[in-house]
Amino acid sequence: MHASKKIVVTGGAGYIGAHTVVELMNAGYEVVVIDNLVNSDMTLITGIEKITGKKINFHKGDCRDKTFLTNLFRTESIAGVMHFAALKAVGESVQKPLEYHENNISSLITVLQVMREQKVKDFIFSSSCTVYGQPDNIPVDEHAPFKKAESPYGLTKQICEQILEDVYKTGFRIISLRYFNPIGAHPSALIGEMPIGTPNNLVPYITQTAAGWRDKLIVFGNDYNTPDGSCVRDFIHVVDLAEAHVKALAWLQATKTTALYEVFNVGTGNGVSVLQLVNAFIRKTGAKLPFRIGPRRPGDVEKVYANPEKINRMMNWKPRYTPEDALVHAWAWQQKLSR
Ligand code: NAD
Ligand code: WQD
């Protein structure tokens, strides 16, 4: 057993990291949050403090800054790392490929170097279903091969996973979690998604449109080979995703193996179309949501959803919330932001 229950969460001021910090604290872990606030501010940290009633051990700094990380790891007794910090906007990555490669890959390498020097072995990485591209078989399981990445962002996730596959053999215990489409907010409405500028992702675009911040939602295409013609995704509540991280960490800490690398899909296993989600939002919230059908968005895959059997079986993880719950929670969070 580890004497310390202190976990470093990089990117913990961001959307998924913040929800995971809450679940880690609920499970009795101590958390040290690192974030350079490049895509966030202190709002979610304040929200976590309200939910948990505890002060957050927050350090503003960059994962590429080895001196900063080394000092932190020397002063705190760290049992493991959850690495969320990354740039994540698919479209922006096409405009700024070097920034994406530099940030996402250098961050990973620097964190791993410091972990090796400070003898910290347990590591959980934020990967993505984007590594699959459009898979040949759906639901997609972890054995499906990587397809050519659709974007520099997607390529950073493939490269990071390949780095981890090399590195674990030197004595790390690593899990990559391949998230499908995280949506929703904490049921307290104290933390949620806070995109800077125009949202790229569907659910914040829906809630901002319903709140009157945007004129109209455009549904990107209704001529796909799917039941209603719109794209199909596996939408997973962000709190369920956060709980998957806690289960993954507990699993890692319970195993005695000195070097391991495991990859898990984190999805519900259900495909839901964009139009189904839009209609569910209108039905569940009663809000007005102006939308129209527009052209396809370049780079979108037609349909993808997870085979989550591996994480169900090995970690006894199953989602507690439905996509409808997530929409209701995202709407409550949006209304709070709108006040
Ligand atoms: P987010 O932008 O809300 O959070 C990421 C956080 O990392 C931000 O607070 C940002 O300021 C910070 N950060 C970025 N670079 C940093 C650096 N060099 N040093 C320190 N902090 C840095 O994004 P999110 O949606 O919470 O995503 C978290 C992780 O999950 C990312 O790795 C992302 O690629 C991955 N992921 C996200 C999704 C999704 O749809 N949101 C899906 C699959 C995978
Ligand atoms: C979902 C569906 C759009 C906005 C992205 C990344 C992926 C992963 C998750 C990080 C698509 C449609 C969207 C809008 C729409 N992230 N849509 N109108 O593209 O499935 O996945 O986030 O790893 O890598 O690519 O998510 O939320 O952008 O889109 O019709 O205004 O909603 O076409 O079918 P996506 P998304």
Side-chain angles (χ1 to χ4, degrees):
M1 244 344 245
H2 294 257
S4 157
K5 288 203 92 181
K6 217 173 255 187
I7 304 300
V8 165
V9 176
T10 76
Y15 174 48
I16 304 167
H19 287 83
T20 305
V21 170
V22 170
E23 298 310 318
L24 281 169
M25 291 172 74
N26 285 344
Y29 290 95
E30 283 180 64
V31 177
V32 182
V33 175
I34 296 174
D35 203 299
N36 66 0
L37 305 182
V38 66
N39 195 41
S40 52
D41 56 26
M42 293 299 282
T43 308
L44 300 190
I45 298 294
T46 308
I48 300 170
E49 289 179 342
K50 282 194 188 138
I51 294 170
T52 61
K54 293 198 180 115
K55 186 104 192 83
I56 300 301
N57 184 353
F58 176 80
H59 299 261
K60 185 174 178 208
D62 198 300
C63 291
R64 293 163 294 179
D65 182 345
K66 198 168 177 200
T67 310
F68 159 72
L69 286 181
T70 304
N71 287 337
L72 193 81
F73 275 67
R74 278 202 185 122
T75 49
E76 309 266 8
S77 168
I78 305 298
V81 176
M82 291 193 183
H83 183 53
F84 295 91
L87 298 174
K88 63 152 184 180
V90 173
E92 184 187 60
S93 79
V94 178
Q95 309 303 321
K96 298 181 175 173
L98 264 183
E99 283 83 347
Y100 271 68
H101 284 292
E102 205 274 324
N103 188 61
N104 293 1
I105 296 164
S106 299
S107 291
L108 175 72
I109 291 174
T110 310
V111 170
L112 290 171
Q113 283 172 335
V114 173
M115 286 178 66
R116 184 177 56 189
E117 286 165 13
Q118 302 302 319
K119 303 195 167 35
V120 178
K121 294 170 180 308
D122 292 358
F123 186 78
I124 297 182
F125 177 67
S126 300
S127 190
S128 168
C129 66
T130 195
V131 299
Y132 298 122
Q134 176 64 69
D136 296 328
N137 299 306
I138 308 172
V140 59
D141 69 23
E142 292 83 355
H143 300 294
F146 289 179
K147 289 282 177 68
K148 185 177 164 15
E150 293 280 0
S151 68
Y153 167 76
L155 184 55
T156 69
K157 291 297 175 194
Q158 294 183 341
I159 293 171
C160 285
E161 281 205 22
Q162 286 172 340
I163 291 172
L164 293 173
E165 218 174 320
D166 278 347
V167 163
Y168 90 89
K169 295 166 190 150
T170 64
F172 285 92
R173 292 138 49 91
I174 299 178
I175 289 176
S176 283
L177 297 179
R178 293 179 180 158
Y179 317 157
F180 281 67
N181 285 58
I183 60 166
H186 195 267
S188 65
L190 290 166
I191 58 174
E193 198 165 3
M194 289 190 65
I196 295 175
T198 310
N200 302 299
N201 294 115
L202 178 60
V203 169
Y205 211 104
I206 288 177
T207 60
Q208 290 193 9
T209 306
W213 293 15
R214 321 242 153 234
D215 286 348
K216 202 173 257 154
L217 170 77
I218 310 293
V219 172
F220 298 138
N222 68 348
D223 56 351
Y224 287 98
N225 183 24
T226 59
D228 64 22
S230 65
C231 292
V232 168
R233 294 289 182 273
D234 188 334
F235 297 101
I236 170 168
H237 196 297
V238 65
V239 172
D240 285 324
L241 177 56
E243 284 177 359
H245 287 76
V246 178
K247 291 231 166 173
L249 178 65
W251 182 87
L252 211 48
Q253 294 190 328
T255 157
K256 294 204 167 53
T257 316
T258 50
L260 72 90
Y261 181 56
E262 289 284 348
V263 175
F264 295 90
N265 284 342
V266 195
T268 66
N270 299 317
V272 173
S273 79
V274 172
L275 283 169
Q276 279 176 327
L277 202 76
V278 165
N279 288 322
F281 178 82
I282 296 168
R283 196 174 59 244
K284 293 301 273 190
T285 65
K288 283 208 163 52
L289 176 65
F291 74 91
R292 73 171 172 80
I293 309 295
R296 292 182 176 196
R297 181 172 71 176
D300 272 343
V301 305
E302 183 167 271
K303 56 176 173 256
V304 62
Y305 49 94
N307 177 343
E309 189 273 329
K310 185 175 176 190
I311 190 165
N312 295 163
R313 176 173 45 83
M314 285 176 66
M315 295 188 187
N316 193 25
W317 173 88
K318 278 219 161 71
R320 288 195 293 135
Y321 294 108
T322 62
E324 282 91 348
D325 297 330
L327 293 170
V328 169
H329 294 153
W331 182 231
W333 164 247
Q334 176 67 50
Q335 287 174 302
K336 205 140 212 177
L337 285 178
S338 299
R339 258 181 230 138

